[in-house]
Amino acid sequence: MNDVTTKSKILTAARQLFVENGFSGTSMGKIAKLAEVNYSLLFHHFGNKEQLWVAVKQSIARDAANKSKTLPLSNLPFKEFLSQLMANSIKFYRDNSEIIRMINWQRLEPAEQSIGVTLSTESNEWLDAIKHYQHIGNIDKELKPEFIITLILSIVSSAALDPNVLIKDKKDLKAYVDFCVIGLLKAFR
Amino acid sequence: MNDVTTKSKILTAARQLFVENGFSGTSMGKIAKLAEVNYSLLFHHFGNKEQLWVAVKQSIARDAANKSKTLPLSNLPFKEFLSQLMANSIKFYRDNSEIIRMINWQRLEPAEQSIGVTLSTESNEWLDAIKHYQHIGNIDKELKPEFIITLILSIVSSAALDPNVLIKDKKDLKAYVDFCVIGLLKAFR
DNA sequence: CTTAAAATTGACTGATCAGTCAATCATTTT
DNA sequence: AAAATGATTGACTGATCAGTCAATTTTAAG
């Protein structure tokens, strides 16, 4: 029953290699070697490569779920709310590059079953927060909350994920976030 | 000298498979089979797998360059300019999903040399257009043109690329683009 | 202590992988 | 017509791939 150790050693190694090289770029042999574990044990503990891939995705998703809480409190002034929302989201993306890579692999590689890694299951909470700020007059009530969320999310994800030529260091990023917050305030009023 | 036909048959097949499955997800054998060409000919015409991969990237980049022109004319009213810019860009992304997939493969898979497929080399023209609209008073002169471009680009790329739960059909997209244009007009003033 | 169950090992399979090579075929040059 | 050049073929290599299996060791239960 050294099972926990061995199984988790395999999972850790698989996670690292799958995140780095994707499904078809990773071989069971390399996973076994990295985990310092007999090759056959991978199949004993996980069945086959695809089941191991699924297990890795679930493991990453579980970790991500525990670290979420990107949404600030709705009793903040709207400007602060926006500012924190963007900062939190960008930090979340930055801190969870594993998930990001995994999501991107999942998008590109032939989809067996896309259950597993996803982002922003908290959409409903976002919607509620937006509606709240519409109700107290910070956001034009004519604007569709779905559009507002989509807009914010696309800004945030690009800022955090895309390697941007125009925004190089952290100072630039901070300035850019401020620029966006001020712009969004005007846009939504 | 049936070279043109054979070589291009290989390139076409390779392009399809590389775009679908990436570098390590594609085998030379499958390319040969799809191209209906002798296996050894791939090496005779392209050297090895990586050189074929590079050739495919160049081929895609070349095609994309010919189809660019996403930038509207700067003598349009700013609102029309923004509107057309977003529509053109989204259409460009939609029409060139091959390039998009290739860029994403390139981002994920171990980078040998990232020459080849890239987007928005026209950044300078974008900058000039923004500065022009700042000069004639449509955009606040205090705002950094780089930030403005980054913002527009991130909105556009997300709208075109990310599978969005909240925006399903073309009507939604059109409405969303209008929403963004109006918002950006207010934000930049 | 005995026995059953689980963990671990190493040897093995057949398929596929990228790449080579000498021989043949087709075309062009001289 | 002869020679040279390039295109094409098929047979081959050694490495790696995912996966199997029987035998052995370790651990847990009665």
Side-chain angles (χ1 to χ4, degrees), chain A residues 90-161:
Chain A
I90 290 176
K91 187 174 177 351
F92 174 80
Y93 280 112
R94 285 278 159 91
D95 291 348
N96 293 274
S97 54
E98 258 194 343
I99 319 167
I100 311 300
R101 279 188 75 87
M102 216 56 190
I103 290 175
N104 287 330
W105 281 121
Q106 209 177 221
R107 281 191 188 161
L108 282 172
E109 288 182 328
E112 330 79 35
Q113 39 181 353
S114 109
I115 48 142
V117 189
T118 38
L119 273 187
S120 66
T121 43
E122 9 176 39
S123 292
N124 280 332
E125 299 167 39
W126 287 58
L127 272 176
D128 290 341
I130 298 299
K131 284 173 185 163
H132 168 254
Y133 283 108
Q134 281 184 313
H135 188 253
I136 64 175
N138 288 117
I139 303 180
D140 183 349
K141 291 177 186 175
E142 297 297 310
L143 301 177
K144 283 194 182 179
E146 293 84 4
F147 284 175
I148 294 177
I149 290 177
T150 303
L151 179 56
I152 296 176
L153 267 178
S154 63
I155 294 172
V156 156
S157 68
S158 288
L161 302 182

Side-chain angles (χ1 to χ4, degrees), chain B residues 3 6 38 40 44-45:
Chain B
D3 183 40
T6 301
N38 185 284
S40 302
H44 178 256
H45 286 292

Side-chain angles (χ1 to χ4, degrees), chain B residues 105-137:
Chain B
W105 282 121
Q106 208 177 223
R107 281 191 189 162
L108 282 172
E109 287 182 327
E112 330 79 36
Q113 37 180 354
S114 103
I115 49 142
V117 189
T118 38
L119 273 187
S120 66
T121 45
E122 10 176 39
S123 294
N124 281 332
E125 300 167 39
W126 287 57
L127 272 177
D128 289 341
I130 298 298
K131 283 173 186 163
H132 168 253
Y133 284 108
Q134 282 184 312
H135 187 252
I136 64 176

